[in-house]
Amino acid sequence: MRTEYSEKQKWISSAKNLHFEMDSDASSTCSRSSSPDLAVDSSFFSNKMFQSYGETLQSKSEKSTSRSQSGIIEKNRARTDLSKDDLQDLRLKVNSRERKRMHDLNQAMDGLREVMPYAQGPSVRKLSKISTLLLARNYILMLSSSLEEMKKLVGDVYGANAQNHSARRALPPTSVAPASQLPLLSIAPTLHTLVATSATPNVGQAPHSPPSAGFLGFPAHPLPTLLKDPLHLSSSYRHFPGMPCPCSLCQPLPASTASLHSLSMGK
DNA sequence: TAGGCCATCTGGTCCT
DNA sequence: AGGACCAGATGGCCTA
């Protein structure tokens, strides 16, 4: 088994970075942003690998007679009835589908990376899958917490404003900021403070070294402790209250957000 | 060189 | 029945 894989992997690695054209279905829909393209020479699969696959199937079907799952027996029997070529075709089709499935998954992962508050660029290695998921979770929790905080502040500001307004009805209106600006004015420093607590996990790290999965771990009760415990977001920018900041957290979501939505609605 | 991450193949299981 | 999903196995690549 090991030797079969060894041969196969040698071939696969040599075939990497070539265009994948074996299956029209896969090639038409797969843009493979995160994985190497693959050219599949079906002649390769016509040798040992598939001979052993056929043997494996046969031996398996022999063993499977002791199983209670008749469906599987029937399925294996149907497969052993196939000719060697049919088996090859079947195996190739299944492999191709699985490859495409994984590529779609990776595309979705790339879409997630794009909207993550993480320094992106040619010199930065992309987040691993596990890190992406953990970071996404923390990011969502942080946004939820920020939203709650903002709601509270808006409530406080409007409450205080209503009191002031009734107490100072006689004062000229120019002494009070427009109501539409009040929430933003009061929220801005707070938002930046929130952001600042989560801004510098990469200090001391090489720019090409994304945080490990463990580093992105989260507490057992994330929401209450969220603001005390840094989120380990990987922005390389320092945040200063009142200063404009180029980090992704302080910028509007990129246009690629839309592409992520369209991706998720693809099926 | 060990360990982490990844792509791929594969067989089993579930779903339509 | 066929396809989707999943997890295990395997080897390659890269970094500390």
Side-chain angles (χ1 to χ4, degrees):
Chain A
M1 187 64 174
R2 186 99 179 175
T3 53
E4 292 170 21
Y5 267 107
S6 156
E7 270 192 50
K8 193 170 57 186
Q9 290 292 340
K10 273 181 198 164
W11 175 84
I12 286 169
S13 62
S14 70
K16 280 184 177 178
N17 300 319
L18 298 174
H19 186 60
F20 174 76
E21 282 186 334
M22 186 201 73
D23 184 5
S24 60
D25 180 31
S27 60
S28 62
T29 56
C30 180
S31 64
R32 308 195 61 174
S33 57
S34 64
S35 17
D37 286 344
L38 187 61
V40 175
D41 176 8
S42 57
S43 65
F44 173 82
F45 294 97
S46 63
N47 57 22
K48 269 189 205 166
M49 181 180 153
F50 275 92
Q51 285 174 13
S52 62
Y53 177 70
E55 288 163 10
T56 306
L57 271 184
Q58 280 181 343
S59 61
K60 275 205 170 169
S61 72
E62 283 164 14
K63 285 177 194 168
S64 68
T65 52
S66 63
R67 288 190 187 180
S68 59
Q69 297 141 319
S70 58
I72 295 172
I73 296 172
E74 287 302 315
K75 218 167 190 174
N76 284 341
R77 190 170 297 158
R79 285 183 185 175
T80 51
D81 286 344
L82 295 174
S83 71
K84 216 172 81 177
D85 285 348
D86 290 338
L87 274 177
Q88 283 185 27
D89 286 345
L90 179 65
R91 198 61 253 176
L92 289 175
K93 262 171 68 178
V94 171
N95 289 350
S96 175
R97 275 200 306 270
E98 176 67 9
R99 227 180 289 131
K100 179 184 177 301
R101 197 181 68 85
M102 295 310 294
H103 294 163
D104 290 346
L105 188 63
N106 287 332
Q107 247 184 300
M109 195 65 76
D110 286 340
L112 188 56
R113 283 189 190 99
E114 284 176 16
V115 298
M116 283 293 106
Y118 177 73
Q120 297 175 32
S123 63
V124 182
R125 208 208 314 175
K126 73 177 182 183
L127 283 172
S128 68
K129 291 176 180 177
I130 182 70
S131 298
T132 301
L133 292 175
L134 292 173
L135 179 59
R137 183 186 187 275
N138 272 347
Y139 189 38
I140 291 169
L141 290 174
M142 188 208 70
L143 291 178
S144 303
S145 177
S146 298
L147 187 61
E148 287 305 309
E149 187 84 3
M150 283 189 222
K151 280 180 183 170
K152 227 173 74 183
L153 281 167
V154 168
D156 289 350
V157 166
Y158 274 122
N161 190 37
Q163 280 184 348
N164 288 343
H165 195 260
S166 60
R168 296 185 298 169
R169 267 178 200 276
L171 290 179
T174 52
S175 62
V176 181
S180 61
Q181 289 182 16
L182 278 172
L184 286 180
L185 287 174
S186 59
I187 285 167
T190 308
L191 178 59
H192 241 95
T193 307
L194 290 175
V195 167
T197 63
S198 62
T200 54
N202 253 7
V203 169
Q205 283 189 8
H208 58 277
S209 303
S212 66
F215 190 64
L216 289 162
F218 31 80
H221 304 289
L223 271 173
T225 60
L226 206 54
L227 302 180
K228 297 172 196 163
D229 191 25
L231 285 166
H232 312 308
L233 302 181
S234 300
S235 166
S236 54
Y237 298 110
R238 291 288 304 276
H239 292 76
F240 301 98
M243 296 292 287
C245 167
C247 83
S248 52
L249 256 184
C250 299
Q251 300 295 318
L253 283 176
S256 55
T257 312
S259 67
L260 180 65
H261 289 301
S262 65
L263 186 70
S264 65
M265 303 298 272
K267 288 186 177 178

